[in-house]
Every structure is written in structure tokens, then in C-alpha cells.
Amino acid sequence: MTKTYLIVAALAAITSTHATAQDSSFQISGSIGSLTNQDGGAGIESYNGIESAATRATAELGFSAAYGFGTGLTGVASLNFGGIDDSVDDDDATLSTSDLTLRVLADRGAYTFGGFLGFGTHEDNGDSDEDMTYQYLGAEVAGDTSFGGYFVQVGYLDSADEYDEGTQDAPFVNVGGSYDITSDYSLTGSFGYAGGKKFGADGDDNRTLNASIGVERSVGNILVTAGYEFTQISFEDSDGDRFGDTFGEFTIGATYAFGGEANHGTLLPSFGNWVAFNANEIE
């Protein structure tokens, strides 16, 4: 909890410093959803983690502050919390994730580019008494097209936990875009891939596959969203057998924006889930 308080304090300091600036903008987002896991699935075998397929309720809450420096550069700080209900009586069930992301974006008219880095923690239902953390950094580019928009994100994801069960030393790529149906409605989609290791630097090769599809509607300063996200995390042992789990999540949510016009950047992957599900549900 101490780390969470420090993260909140850091974001509060950033927002209070620039709250009166004309080119500051802020966002508050929230969502609820339903998460299922298959306890293997899609051609992979279950491992030692959660012992059954299950459906659980999820909720997320996010805060973001962006400040435009007046030279085409924008700094962004965002804080996100995720929670999963504890209806599954299993020590390996993920309960929560939380992370802080810092970004710098450069506006070049038709496109923006920049970089990001972040740090987070995750908790399970009591299986591990050690700190479970993750960190990530990367570069991104995004732009507008005649039909909508696109983005590309590349970077590196790492984590630490007592038994090196989370996703580690993982290069990743995430690409996506949007298609404007009308001025108020858009279809969105993305695909992500991460490599890396499980069980330490000399452990097994790890693989994360992620895909999402959704719809967005703008209502004034509010963006209403609904979508589905597929995630499969697996590793291959020395015998060539693949173990892991397959997850699916339906969500509905909304983002309220206020203040100026400073850019907050495109949506990053669910890094917390990419790490926590590997360390907990798969183990």
C-alpha cells in the first residue's frame, strides 16, 4: 500500500502544478467487465496455477494528466488500478494490479511520436507474500488517416516475483487502429505480441498473444466504450510441450475529459494482466 500512496502523491503533485495552465487536460476513466479463463485451452495445457475454468467480475479506474509545453511536446502521467473479484477460492487468482505510466509525446501534425515508461504491482489471493512488480518502457507513433487512425507501440516488459513466474525480459509490439463509422461512432481493434522468459533468464521461452475489438461513441466530453479482449499466455518447456491459459474479457466503460486539448496518447497494452496472469493463474 505504501507504493500505491507514493504513486497517488506523485500524480497529485503533477496535476496540482499545472492545473491552471491553459494547455493542461485531464481524464478520468472507469470500466466494469467479465473475465473468463479456460484453464489451458486453444491447444495448450493447464499448468500449476488456478485449478479450473472460471468467470469473474472485473473493474478498472484510471486517472490521466497531460501538459502541453507549447513547443509541440506534451508530458503525460497516468495512474491505473484494476481489480478482479475473489469469487474463485484459489491462492493463485489475481486480485489487483496498479501502475503509473509517464509519457512524452511530440506532435508533428499528421502524426505524433514519443516514448513511455512505467512501474506497477500486482497481488494475488495469498499464494505469495513477496512483492510482485513489473516495469515497462517503449516508443510509440500514432497518426490520423482518411478513415480513422492508427498506432504502433514497441518496447520491453519485465517483472519480478518470488519464483520468477511472471513475464520477464519480454520485447513486445502492439499495433492498432480505428475506423470512423460516423462522426460519433468508431470501431477499434489491436493486436499485441510479447516474447520473453518464464522462470528466470535461463528458464522457458514465453509467449503472449493479445487481440481486442471494440466500439466507441463520443457524447460531448465523454467517450463511451464497449469491447472484447483475448489474451493467451503460454510457455514451452524443454520437451516442446506448451503450457498456459487463455483469457477473454468483455468490458463496458467511459472516459470523461476536461480542461484543455493536450494529447494523452493512445491506449497501452494491459501490461499488468500480461504479468499477473502468468505469475498467478498460470504459475
Side-chain angles (χ1 to χ4, degrees), residues 263-274:
N263 182 17
H264 290 254
T266 53
L267 186 65
L268 292 172
S270 302
F271 293 123
N273 290 346
W274 289 14

Side-chain angles (χ1 to χ4, degrees), residues 40 62 81 110 116 129 158 168 175 205 219:
F81 300 96
F116 57 88
D129 294 326
D158 197 16
Q168 297 182 327
V175 299
D205 290 334
V219 184

Side-chain angles (χ1 to χ4, degrees), residues 35 98 181:
L35 172 71
S98 60
I181 304 172

Side-chain angles (χ1 to χ4, degrees), residues 168-259:
Q168 297 182 327
D169 296 325
F172 70 83
V173 59
N174 189 51
V175 299
S178 62
Y179 177 79
D180 297 333
I181 304 172
T182 69
S183 59
D184 295 329
Y185 284 91
S186 297
L187 294 177
T188 63
S190 68
F191 176 78
Y193 174 87
K197 292 289 186 178
K198 185 176 176 71
F199 307 126
D202 297 324
D204 296 321
D205 290 334
N206 196 79
R207 183 186 72 191
T208 301
L209 300 175
N210 178 265
S212 69
I213 187 171
V215 61
E216 299 177 343
R217 184 188 180 188
S218 298
V219 184
N221 291 340
I222 300 176
L223 182 68
V224 180
T225 61
Y228 175 78
E229 183 174 6
F230 165 91
T231 304
Q232 184 188 79
I233 305 172
S234 63
F235 67 94
E236 187 175 69
D237 68 8
S238 58
D239 295 325
D241 296 322
R242 184 165 291 276
F243 300 90
D245 208 341
T246 304
F247 305 86
E249 184 178 16
F250 288 97
T251 59
I252 56 173
T255 299
Y256 173 64
F258 59 100

Side-chain angles (χ1 to χ4, degrees), residues 3-255:
K3 291 180 180 177
T4 300
Y5 292 143
L6 290 175
I7 292 173
V8 172
L11 183 59
I14 293 171
T15 58
S16 64
T17 300
H18 300 298
T20 59
Q22 191 173 6
D23 49 0
S24 296
S25 65
F26 307 92
Q27 293 181 349
I28 300 174
S29 61
S31 69
I32 57 174
S34 177
L35 172 71
T36 61
N37 74 286
Q38 297 183 26
D39 194 30
I44 59 177
E45 299 180 52
S46 176
Y47 198 56
N48 294 331
I50 192 171
E51 296 179 354
S52 63
T55 299
R56 293 171 285 169
T58 65
E60 293 188 2
L61 182 64
F63 305 91
S64 181
Y67 178 75
F69 293 98
T71 58
L73 293 177
T74 302
V76 186
S78 58
L79 179 62
N80 294 282
F81 300 96
I84 305 175
D85 76 48
D86 60 355
S87 59
V88 175
D89 186 19
D90 193 306
D91 287 347
D92 293 306
T94 298
L95 287 183
S96 66
T97 62
S98 60
D99 53 58
L100 171 68
T101 304
L102 302 177
R103 307 170 92 158
V104 176
L105 302 171
D107 188 349
R108 291 298 180 263
Y111 67 94
T112 62
F113 69 93
F116 57 88
L117 60 86
F119 173 84
T121 65
H122 64 97
E123 298 292 338
D124 64 7
N125 206 26
D127 180 56
S128 175
D129 294 326
E130 301 294 324
D131 288 338
M132 297 185 288
T133 63
Y134 55 96
Q135 48 278 334
Y136 47 91
L137 59 86
E140 58 187 313
V141 62
D144 297 324
T145 68
S146 60
F147 57 82
Y150 68 90
F151 66 84
V152 179
Q153 301 156 346
V154 296
Y156 175 81
L157 170 66
D158 197 16
S159 70
D161 60 75
E162 185 176 6
Y163 302 109
D164 290 329
E165 293 168 337
T167 303
Q168 297 182 327
D169 296 325
F172 70 83
V173 59
N174 189 51
V175 299
S178 62
Y179 177 79
D180 297 333
I181 304 172
T182 69
S183 59
D184 295 329
Y185 284 91
S186 297
L187 294 177
T188 63
S190 68
F191 176 78
Y193 174 87
K197 292 289 186 178
K198 185 176 176 71
F199 307 126
D202 297 324
D204 296 321
D205 290 334
N206 196 79
R207 183 186 72 191
T208 301
L209 300 175
N210 178 265
S212 69
I213 187 171
V215 61
E216 299 177 343
R217 184 188 180 188
S218 298
V219 184
N221 291 340
I222 300 176
L223 182 68
V224 180
T225 61
Y228 175 78
E229 183 174 6
F230 165 91
T231 304
Q232 184 188 79
I233 305 172
S234 63
F235 67 94
E236 187 175 69
D237 68 8
S238 58
D239 295 325
D241 296 322
R242 184 165 291 276
F243 300 90
D245 208 341
T246 304
F247 305 86
E249 184 178 16
F250 288 97
T251 59
I252 56 173
T255 299

